[in-house]
Amino acid sequence: MNYVIDTPEGTRDRLFSECRDRRAVQDALTRLFAARGYDEICTPEMEYYDLFVQSGNPIPQESMLKIIDRSGRIMVMRPDCTTPIARVAATKLRDAPLPQRLYYNETVFRSGVAHRGGSSEIAQCGVELLGAGDMEADVEVIALAAEALRATTKHGFHIELGHAGLFRDMAAQLDMPQADVERMRGLIEGKSYAALGDLLAPYGGHPAARFLSRLSGLFGGQAVLEEAEALVGVREELRYLKTLYEKLSALGYGSEIGFDLGLVHQIEYYTGVIFRGYTTGAGAPVVSGGRYDNLLGAFGRSAPAIGFAVDVDAVAGCRPLEAGDDRLRIALTKGRLQEQTVELFERVGLDCTPVRKPGRRLVHPLPNYPLDAVLAKAPDVITYVEHGVCDLGVVGKDTILEHGSPFYEVLDLGFGRCRFALAVQEGTDFYGTYQTRRIATKYPNVARRFFKEKGMDVEIIRIEGSVELAPLLGLADGIVDIVETGATLRANGLVPIEDVAPVSARLVVNTASMKLKRAQITDLIEKCKRGLELISG
Ligand code: PRP
């Protein structure tokens, strides 16, 4: 690293056309917001850390970029625009009449995950409508989000509505430990249908559990609301979303708006309708917003509020449409998972000859189904799906656990079954000492999490090749690794002493693709399910 000529991780210089594209989006949005009666507000790029923590802002501590000022106080580079605006509204604008319509065109700073290609500086342009808590306010803001996308996206867009109250009330009906509620939220958000079903199995008979187990699948058109009502009966939130949709339809946005009742991100912060916007060519949501009626109260001025932010660079940097973009693209993990996926696909009639005989080509269009397959190493499958250049992927749960899952994990394919285990040399008493244990592994994140949950300090040593060697050479006291038959451990005098997590192949889907290519993706998921049934006989 050369600190003189390099820029910090997650930041970059932007040159010429990139500036012009960004400016064009910002100009279009700020013109639109001003024309709709919103006034611009600029808040400092630096704020006190306490502002975000004490107001209940959901941004995790580790995502905030911190600075210590001359007096030793902790400051952060603004990680979000809404909280400072709420601070201003409750203090300097305290006597201004409500409702207040404010917009901003600012940069937020978040420390992202290394090597994900994500930026630490995110240009956001958004609005806050403060002091209006009725449905008309929701209609106004969501219609404005639609207009914002209409004005700036090249290939059409899609907005999905959810409601914070649904998950909150339903989860409260189950007598579930808070940690499990949080896990359930993550599984619903990630559309991890199978794991969600397992988590809720002990609550099986409870209507709320039945509803929650279906929540992540409840996305799409208006029929979703009827489906939800059939599961849970008449609920105010569902009625609300229906009327809201009708009003937005009457304004001409009907075909661009749908529902995702599994939108449960930042659920402690949002209090009513939640929405996200997607556009083709961007792998992640480009608009995020919702109603947050409690935030201003944290600053001593109770008032309802709703707003949204557009991710300016994501909109400006949308990749252009290419020939074949209407086809699905799937990334298969090279090797055994690739072979078993091909068998699965062939069971349901997909001609996989191009994948069986790949030659030197890297993209393999299937001749009788609108699907292109690419073959990649497991971590690359995750990268391609996360960035949306592949709509789907087949990858082992081991890789997902290690690298995170910024996508939907829709199906446990059942093959590639093995487990993560902690193994030690035969005859050693791993836990019988207070000395810090050394663990060799190819999966440092998995190992770190496992021991953290135990409250145990360990030293993790990352090994790239045969990890079994490390204890034999005296480098480590144990290993965390994949065990399938156990033969490798046995051959090296090691024994598994604890299971860390089960592993099998998963079908994963990019979040934006799931919304924008829903029919095709659902068809492929159904085919996979049918194939699995045929294989299991
Ligand atoms: C995995 C793992 C073990 C082995 C376990 O390695 O790292 O070494 O399989 O399998 P077993 O329990 O059936 O003996 P893999 O063969 O995938 O190769 P890698 O070292 O390249 O990851």
mmCIF file with all atom_site columns, all heavy atoms in Angstrom, residues 363-376:
data_model
loop_
_atom_site.group_PDB
_atom_site.id
_atom_site.type_symbol
_atom_site.label_atom_id
_atom_site.label_alt_id
_atom_site.label_comp_id
_atom_site.label_asym_id
_atom_site.label_entity_id
_atom_site.label_seq_id
_atom_site.pdbx_PDB_ins_code
_atom_site.Cartn_x
_atom_site.Cartn_y
_atom_site.Cartn_z
_atom_site.occupancy
_atom_site.B_iso_or_equiv
_atom_site.pdbx_formal_charge
_atom_site.auth_seq_id
_atom_site.auth_comp_id
_atom_site.auth_asym_id
_atom_site.auth_atom_id
_atom_site.pdbx_PDB_model_num
ATOM 1   N N   . VAL A 1 363 ? -19.148 -19.364 -21.437 1.00 0.00 ? 363 VAL A N   1
ATOM 2   C CA  . VAL A 1 363 ? -20.589 -19.208 -21.257 1.00 0.00 ? 363 VAL A CA  1
ATOM 3   C C   . VAL A 1 363 ? -21.267 -20.281 -22.113 1.00 0.00 ? 363 VAL A C   1
ATOM 4   O O   . VAL A 1 363 ? -20.938 -20.434 -23.289 1.00 0.00 ? 363 VAL A O   1
ATOM 5   C CB  . VAL A 1 363 ? -21.058 -17.802 -21.700 1.00 0.00 ? 363 VAL A CB  1
ATOM 6   C CG1 . VAL A 1 363 ? -22.560 -17.645 -21.467 1.00 0.00 ? 363 VAL A CG1 1
ATOM 7   C CG2 . VAL A 1 363 ? -20.294 -16.714 -20.946 1.00 0.00 ? 363 VAL A CG2 1
ATOM 8   N N   . HIS A 1 364 ? -22.196 -21.019 -21.499 1.00 0.00 ? 364 HIS A N   1
ATOM 9   C CA  . HIS A 1 364 ? -22.785 -22.167 -22.195 1.00 0.00 ? 364 HIS A CA  1
ATOM 10  C C   . HIS A 1 364 ? -24.303 -22.029 -22.282 1.00 0.00 ? 364 HIS A C   1
ATOM 11  O O   . HIS A 1 364 ? -25.007 -22.370 -21.320 1.00 0.00 ? 364 HIS A O   1
ATOM 12  C CB  . HIS A 1 364 ? -22.433 -23.457 -21.446 1.00 0.00 ? 364 HIS A CB  1
ATOM 13  C CG  . HIS A 1 364 ? -20.980 -23.545 -21.128 1.00 0.00 ? 364 HIS A CG  1
ATOM 14  N ND1 . HIS A 1 364 ? -20.030 -23.798 -22.085 1.00 0.00 ? 364 HIS A ND1 1
ATOM 15  C CD2 . HIS A 1 364 ? -20.309 -23.374 -19.965 1.00 0.00 ? 364 HIS A CD2 1
ATOM 16  C CE1 . HIS A 1 364 ? -18.832 -23.787 -21.528 1.00 0.00 ? 364 HIS A CE1 1
ATOM 17  N NE2 . HIS A 1 364 ? -18.980 -23.529 -20.242 1.00 0.00 ? 364 HIS A NE2 1
ATOM 18  N N   . PRO A 1 365 ? -24.814 -21.536 -23.427 1.00 0.00 ? 365 PRO A N   1
ATOM 19  C CA  . PRO A 1 365 ? -26.270 -21.419 -23.557 1.00 0.00 ? 365 PRO A CA  1
ATOM 20  C C   . PRO A 1 365 ? -26.899 -22.813 -23.729 1.00 0.00 ? 365 PRO A C   1
ATOM 21  O O   . PRO A 1 365 ? -26.419 -23.594 -24.541 1.00 0.00 ? 365 PRO A O   1
ATOM 22  C CB  . PRO A 1 365 ? -26.449 -20.600 -24.850 1.00 0.00 ? 365 PRO A CB  1
ATOM 23  C CG  . PRO A 1 365 ? -25.079 -20.115 -25.216 1.00 0.00 ? 365 PRO A CG  1
ATOM 24  C CD  . PRO A 1 365 ? -24.098 -21.040 -24.595 1.00 0.00 ? 365 PRO A CD  1
ATOM 25  N N   . LEU A 1 366 ? -27.941 -23.094 -22.933 1.00 0.00 ? 366 LEU A N   1
ATOM 26  C CA  . LEU A 1 366 ? -28.634 -24.374 -23.114 1.00 0.00 ? 366 LEU A CA  1
ATOM 27  C C   . LEU A 1 366 ? -29.529 -24.248 -24.343 1.00 0.00 ? 366 LEU A C   1
ATOM 28  O O   . LEU A 1 366 ? -30.201 -23.226 -24.522 1.00 0.00 ? 366 LEU A O   1
ATOM 29  C CB  . LEU A 1 366 ? -29.481 -24.730 -21.892 1.00 0.00 ? 366 LEU A CB  1
ATOM 30  C CG  . LEU A 1 366 ? -28.774 -24.795 -20.544 1.00 0.00 ? 366 LEU A CG  1
ATOM 31  C CD1 . LEU A 1 366 ? -29.646 -25.525 -19.527 1.00 0.00 ? 366 LEU A CD1 1
ATOM 32  C CD2 . LEU A 1 366 ? -27.418 -25.490 -20.638 1.00 0.00 ? 366 LEU A CD2 1
ATOM 33  N N   . PRO A 1 367 ? -29.551 -25.282 -25.198 1.00 0.00 ? 367 PRO A N   1
ATOM 34  C CA  . PRO A 1 367 ? -30.287 -25.150 -26.460 1.00 0.00 ? 367 PRO A CA  1
ATOM 35  C C   . PRO A 1 367 ? -31.807 -25.164 -26.311 1.00 0.00 ? 367 PRO A C   1
ATOM 36  O O   . PRO A 1 367 ? -32.511 -24.583 -27.133 1.00 0.00 ? 367 PRO A O   1
ATOM 37  C CB  . PRO A 1 367 ? -29.820 -26.355 -27.283 1.00 0.00 ? 367 PRO A CB  1
ATOM 38  C CG  . PRO A 1 367 ? -29.088 -27.247 -26.364 1.00 0.00 ? 367 PRO A CG  1
ATOM 39  C CD  . PRO A 1 367 ? -28.731 -26.499 -25.128 1.00 0.00 ? 367 PRO A CD  1
ATOM 40  N N   . ASN A 1 368 ? -32.342 -25.807 -25.262 1.00 0.00 ? 368 ASN A N   1
ATOM 41  C CA  . ASN A 1 368 ? -33.808 -25.942 -25.219 1.00 0.00 ? 368 ASN A CA  1
ATOM 42  C C   . ASN A 1 368 ? -34.449 -25.245 -24.014 1.00 0.00 ? 368 ASN A C   1
ATOM 43  O O   . ASN A 1 368 ? -35.566 -25.556 -23.630 1.00 0.00 ? 368 ASN A O   1
ATOM 44  C CB  . ASN A 1 368 ? -34.198 -27.424 -25.243 1.00 0.00 ? 368 ASN A CB  1
ATOM 45  C CG  . ASN A 1 368 ? -33.769 -28.150 -23.970 1.00 0.00 ? 368 ASN A CG  1
ATOM 46  O OD1 . ASN A 1 368 ? -32.971 -27.616 -23.205 1.00 0.00 ? 368 ASN A OD1 1
ATOM 47  N ND2 . ASN A 1 368 ? -34.302 -29.335 -23.760 1.00 0.00 ? 368 ASN A ND2 1
ATOM 48  N N   . TYR A 1 369 ? -33.712 -24.319 -23.394 1.00 0.00 ? 369 TYR A N   1
ATOM 49  C CA  . TYR A 1 369 ? -34.270 -23.579 -22.253 1.00 0.00 ? 369 TYR A CA  1
ATOM 50  C C   . TYR A 1 369 ? -33.526 -22.250 -22.171 1.00 0.00 ? 369 TYR A C   1
ATOM 51  O O   . TYR A 1 369 ? -32.311 -22.227 -22.379 1.00 0.00 ? 369 TYR A O   1
ATOM 52  C CB  . TYR A 1 369 ? -34.061 -24.396 -20.965 1.00 0.00 ? 369 TYR A CB  1
ATOM 53  C CG  . TYR A 1 369 ? -34.837 -23.871 -19.775 1.00 0.00 ? 369 TYR A CG  1
ATOM 54  C CD1 . TYR A 1 369 ? -36.196 -24.141 -19.639 1.00 0.00 ? 369 TYR A CD1 1
ATOM 55  C CD2 . TYR A 1 369 ? -34.218 -23.093 -18.799 1.00 0.00 ? 369 TYR A CD2 1
ATOM 56  C CE1 . TYR A 1 369 ? -36.910 -23.645 -18.557 1.00 0.00 ? 369 TYR A CE1 1
ATOM 57  C CE2 . TYR A 1 369 ? -34.923 -22.601 -17.713 1.00 0.00 ? 369 TYR A CE2 1
ATOM 58  C CZ  . TYR A 1 369 ? -36.271 -22.884 -17.594 1.00 0.00 ? 369 TYR A CZ  1
ATOM 59  O OH  . TYR A 1 369 ? -36.983 -22.399 -16.525 1.00 0.00 ? 369 TYR A OH  1
ATOM 60  N N   . PRO A 1 370 ? -34.237 -21.153 -21.884 1.00 0.00 ? 370 PRO A N   1
ATOM 61  C CA  . PRO A 1 370 ? -33.556 -19.832 -21.923 1.00 0.00 ? 370 PRO A CA  1
ATOM 62  C C   . PRO A 1 370 ? -32.620 -19.621 -20.733 1.00 0.00 ? 370 PRO A C   1
ATOM 63  O O   . PRO A 1 370 ? -32.846 -18.774 -19.866 1.00 0.00 ? 370 PRO A O   1
ATOM 64  C CB  . PRO A 1 370 ? -34.715 -18.835 -21.905 1.00 0.00 ? 370 PRO A CB  1
ATOM 65  C CG  . PRO A 1 370 ? -35.842 -19.553 -21.280 1.00 0.00 ? 370 PRO A CG  1
ATOM 66  C CD  . PRO A 1 370 ? -35.681 -21.007 -21.575 1.00 0.00 ? 370 PRO A CD  1
ATOM 67  N N   . LEU A 1 371 ? -31.569 -20.414 -20.678 1.00 0.00 ? 371 LEU A N   1
ATOM 68  C CA  . LEU A 1 371 ? -30.635 -20.373 -19.553 1.00 0.00 ? 371 LEU A CA  1
ATOM 69  C C   . LEU A 1 371 ? -29.211 -20.504 -20.074 1.00 0.00 ? 371 LEU A C   1
ATOM 70  O O   . LEU A 1 371 ? -28.908 -21.400 -20.865 1.00 0.00 ? 371 LEU A O   1
ATOM 71  C CB  . LEU A 1 371 ? -30.945 -21.541 -18.597 1.00 0.00 ? 371 LEU A CB  1
ATOM 72  C CG  . LEU A 1 371 ? -30.072 -21.678 -17.356 1.00 0.00 ? 371 LEU A CG  1
ATOM 73  C CD1 . LEU A 1 371 ? -30.353 -20.549 -16.364 1.00 0.00 ? 371 LEU A CD1 1
ATOM 74  C CD2 . LEU A 1 371 ? -30.342 -23.020 -16.652 1.00 0.00 ? 371 LEU A CD2 1
ATOM 75  N N   . ASP A 1 372 ? -28.335 -19.585 -19.631 1.00 0.00 ? 372 ASP A N   1
ATOM 76  C CA  . ASP A 1 372 ? -26.908 -19.690 -19.940 1.00 0.00 ? 372 ASP A CA  1
ATOM 77  C C   . ASP A 1 372 ? -26.190 -20.091 -18.661 1.00 0.00 ? 372 ASP A C   1
ATOM 78  O O   . ASP A 1 372 ? -26.433 -19.495 -17.607 1.00 0.00 ? 372 ASP A O   1
ATOM 79  C CB  . ASP A 1 372 ? -26.344 -18.338 -20.397 1.00 0.00 ? 372 ASP A CB  1
ATOM 80  C CG  . ASP A 1 372 ? -27.002 -17.841 -21.674 1.00 0.00 ? 372 ASP A CG  1
ATOM 81  O OD1 . ASP A 1 372 ? -27.639 -18.670 -22.360 1.00 0.00 ? 372 ASP A OD1 1
ATOM 82  O OD2 . ASP A 1 372 ? -26.890 -16.642 -21.976 1.00 0.00 ? 372 ASP A OD2 1
ATOM 83  N N   . ALA A 1 373 ? -25.304 -21.091 -18.779 1.00 0.00 ? 373 ALA A N   1
ATOM 84  C CA  . ALA A 1 373 ? -24.561 -21.516 -17.590 1.00 0.00 ? 373 ALA A CA  1
ATOM 85  C C   . ALA A 1 373 ? -23.125 -21.029 -17.689 1.00 0.00 ? 373 ALA A C   1
ATOM 86  O O   . ALA A 1 373 ? -22.524 -21.052 -18.766 1.00 0.00 ? 373 ALA A O   1
ATOM 87  C CB  . ALA A 1 373 ? -24.604 -23.035 -17.465 1.00 0.00 ? 373 ALA A CB  1
ATOM 88  N N   . VAL A 1 374 ? -22.579 -20.555 -16.568 1.00 0.00 ? 374 VAL A N   1
ATOM 89  C CA  . VAL A 1 374 ? -21.145 -20.289 -16.509 1.00 0.00 ? 374 VAL A CA  1
ATOM 90  C C   . VAL A 1 374 ? -20.578 -21.137 -15.379 1.00 0.00 ? 374 VAL A C   1
ATOM 91  O O   . VAL A 1 374 ? -21.272 -21.441 -14.408 1.00 0.00 ? 374 VAL A O   1
ATOM 92  C CB  . VAL A 1 374 ? -20.814 -18.784 -16.264 1.00 0.00 ? 374 VAL A CB  1
ATOM 93  C CG1 . VAL A 1 374 ? -21.392 -17.909 -17.342 1.00 0.00 ? 374 VAL A CG1 1
ATOM 94  C CG2 . VAL A 1 374 ? -21.296 -18.319 -14.907 1.00 0.00 ? 374 VAL A CG2 1
ATOM 95  N N   . LEU A 1 375 ? -19.323 -21.554 -15.549 1.00 0.00 ? 375 LEU A N   1
ATOM 96  C CA  . LEU A 1 375 ? -18.698 -22.397 -14.538 1.00 0.00 ? 375 LEU A CA  1
ATOM 97  C C   . LEU A 1 375 ? -17.671 -21.565 -13.791 1.00 0.00 ? 375 LEU A C   1
ATOM 98  O O   . LEU A 1 375 ? -16.881 -20.849 -14.412 1.00 0.00 ? 375 LEU A O   1
ATOM 99  C CB  . LEU A 1 375 ? -18.021 -23.601 -15.212 1.00 0.00 ? 375 LEU A CB  1
ATOM 100 C CG  . LEU A 1 375 ? -18.954 -24.407 -16.116 1.00 0.00 ? 375 LEU A CG  1
ATOM 101 C CD1 . LEU A 1 375 ? -18.210 -25.554 -16.778 1.00 0.00 ? 375 LEU A CD1 1
ATOM 102 C CD2 . LEU A 1 375 ? -20.139 -24.952 -15.310 1.00 0.00 ? 375 LEU A CD2 1
ATOM 103 N N   . ALA A 1 376 ? -17.707 -21.638 -12.467 1.00 0.00 ? 376 ALA A N   1
ATOM 104 C CA  . ALA A 1 376 ? -16.833 -20.740 -11.689 1.00 0.00 ? 376 ALA A CA  1
ATOM 105 C C   . ALA A 1 376 ? -16.405 -21.412 -10.394 1.00 0.00 ? 376 ALA A C   1
ATOM 106 O O   . ALA A 1 376 ? -17.035 -22.367 -9.942  1.00 0.00 ? 376 ALA A O   1
ATOM 107 C CB  . ALA A 1 376 ? -17.590 -19.449 -11.375 1.00 0.00 ? 376 ALA A CB  1
#
